[in-house]
Amino acid sequence: ALSALNASTGVSGELVGKGAGTDGQVLLHVAGIQLRYRCQVKRHIDRNSLIDDMAARSNADDNALLVSTVLSTAMAARCRELDLQFIDTAGNAYLTDRKGILINVVGRKLEKGSFVDSDKTITPAALRMMFAFLAQPSMLNAPYREISSSVQVATGAIGKALEAMETRGFIGKAPSGARIINAPERMLSEWATGYISRIKPKLKKFRFAAPDTTNLQHDWTPAMRQSVWSGEIAAEQVTQHLNPATATIYMDIEQTKDLPEMVKRLQLRGDPNGQIEVVQAFWNMDFFSENFPTVPLHLIYADLLGTNDPRNLLIAKQIHKKVIDHVHGSGKQAA
């Protein structure tokens, strides 16, 4: 990416080390001025949620830099809209010191065969397990049978998924020998974007419109271990800083009567563009109910990113911090 940047703009750059929570640091030399960045590397950006996730984790003064393979014109425009600086391996870039330097290059194509994405280690089973570990870090040391039951994965897939997470640096070992989450921010980012693109699209779901959604969260109450709020209503309950315009509800659609009862009580009608989304829970709802009547915080975070609504990014940033604090504070994991 640095070589491509130099070829397209004449800006030179160098790697200058690696910092905690980053994939490296770079120093760029622009017209006699040095710009230092902390990098986050993404092998492939093909949807807004990946960009929104990084924007939600970054502050304007963070000097965060997205480094990726070639970005489409639309993805580059999204970065600029969110003031997220980036460089890619085709020489596209958005860079600014917010004092007068502005570099904006879009539309350059990657030369065929110049980069191969071989990083396919995080499987859907691993994503389901990461959901459990972010919700309850102690699950990292639970028996395989319990992990399997909690997130509905085959026991035979658990060992390889744990190895993949360790290889990627998401988990490690404490002095006691117990597994711990090493890099909660990177793990949350990988899980949220993976969930949006690989798990949620395959879940059974319905969309509805309601005559009035103003008091939806007061007109309908989730049932413990049967249904829970996510999305904007859950975010409002967690932060008190959002006026919900949509609703996301997870429930065991096939095992409970919640859905027909909710449709009848709220006078819902099927509408592919409706404000109310009902999604089949992908985990065993006997687990991870500590946040009831909402889903675990990291699922709220992912669902907010999945809306592609810039107004939700500020709230997602708040919830991101709560997720990281939760991981760090969960009994200090394994001492």
Side-chain angles (χ1 to χ4, degrees):
L2 289 173
S3 297
L5 178 68
N6 183 254
S8 67
T9 66
V11 171
S12 62
E14 57 190 301
L15 292 169
V16 291
K18 192 167 185 177
T22 75
D23 296 316
Q25 297 186 43
V26 299
L27 189 65
L28 303 183
H29 305 277
V30 185
I33 297 175
Q34 294 184 339
L35 302 180
R36 183 183 290 266
Y37 293 97
R38 295 184 292 180
C39 301
Q40 295 290 333
V41 177
K42 295 291 185 182
R43 287 178 174 267
H44 188 51
I45 302 284
D46 60 355
R47 52 195 178 274
N48 284 344
S49 59
L50 287 161
I51 296 171
D52 293 355
D53 167 67
M54 187 169 173
R57 293 184 287 121
S58 304
N59 297 314
D61 59 352
D62 258 354
N63 292 326
L65 182 69
L66 170 64
V67 183
S68 76
T69 50
V70 61
L71 286 183
S72 68
T73 300
M75 295 295 102
R78 182 67 169 181
C79 286
R80 183 160 182 179
E81 176 188 357
L82 299 176
D83 197 28
L84 177 62
Q85 300 188 66
F86 77 89
I87 60 174
D88 72 17
T89 53
N92 298 302
Y94 168 60
L95 300 166
T96 177
D97 66 351
R98 303 182 179 90
K99 297 177 182 178
I101 291 176
L102 174 62
I103 296 172
N104 189 44
V105 182
V106 297
R108 290 174 63 93
K109 304 297 183 183
L110 191 67
E111 292 182 11
K112 189 174 182 180
S114 62
F115 187 88
V116 177
D117 181 4
S118 60
D119 191 2
K120 303 293 185 183
T121 56
I122 299 301
T123 63
L127 289 170
R128 285 174 175 262
M129 292 165 56
M130 289 162 71
F131 168 81
F133 302 153
L134 288 167
Q136 192 175 319
S138 62
M139 286 291 288
L140 270 166
N141 299 290
Y144 280 16
R145 183 175 298 178
E146 183 176 350
I147 296 173
S148 171
S149 175
S150 70
V151 288
Q152 302 171 3
V153 298
T155 54
I158 293 175
K160 288 185 178 180
L162 288 170
E163 287 179 12
M165 290 180 220
E166 190 167 356
T167 299
R168 294 286 296 276
F170 298 147
I171 65 175
K173 294 285 183 69
S176 65
R179 296 188 189 94
I180 60 172
I181 297 177
N182 263 347
E185 290 201 358
R186 291 178 53 223
M187 189 175 188
L188 173 57
S189 176
E190 182 83 15
W191 180 81
T193 55
Y195 173 71
I196 293 167
S197 63
R198 302 172 66 189
I199 301 293
K200 191 172 184 180
K202 297 181 180 180
L203 298 177
K204 186 175 183 178
K205 59 181 72 68
F206 300 95
R207 276 199 174 272
F208 300 97
D212 181 15
T213 59
T214 307
N215 295 309
L216 182 62
Q217 60 182 311
H218 305 295
D219 294 338
W220 183 78
T221 303
M224 183 71 165
R225 296 188 175 87
Q226 295 181 16
S227 51
V228 273
W229 293 115
S230 186
E232 293 186 9
I233 287 182
E236 191 278 332
Q237 293 190 11
V238 169
T239 69
Q240 287 80 51
H241 289 155
L242 184 66
N243 184 20
T246 64
T248 300
I249 300 163
Y250 285 83
M251 64 172 60
D252 193 341
I253 294 172
E254 298 177 353
Q255 299 298 321
T256 73
K257 297 180 180 179
D258 274 18
L259 183 58
E261 290 178 357
M262 184 177 69
V263 169
K264 182 178 180 180
R265 181 186 304 177
L266 301 179
Q267 301 177 36
L268 304 181
R269 57 180 176 80
D271 184 340
N273 299 310
Q275 319 97 309
I276 302 170
E277 176 186 46
V278 180
V279 186
Q280 172 65 41
F282 58 92
W283 70 98
N284 182 337
M285 297 192 79
D286 288 334
F287 291 80
F288 316 124
S289 58
E290 291 84 358
N291 293 84
F292 183 83
T294 77
V295 296
L297 293 169
H298 55 294
L299 182 50
I300 303 174
Y301 176 75
D303 280 332
L304 288 180
L305 295 184
T307 66
N308 290 325
D309 186 342
R311 77 187 180 94
N312 285 334
L313 285 186
L314 181 61
I315 306 303
K317 189 186 295 285
Q318 296 179 33
I319 293 176
H320 178 276
K321 183 179 184 304
K322 289 179 181 292
V323 175
I324 303 306
D325 289 345
H326 165 71
V327 172
H328 285 310
S330 292
K332 301 299 182 183
Q333 297 189 64

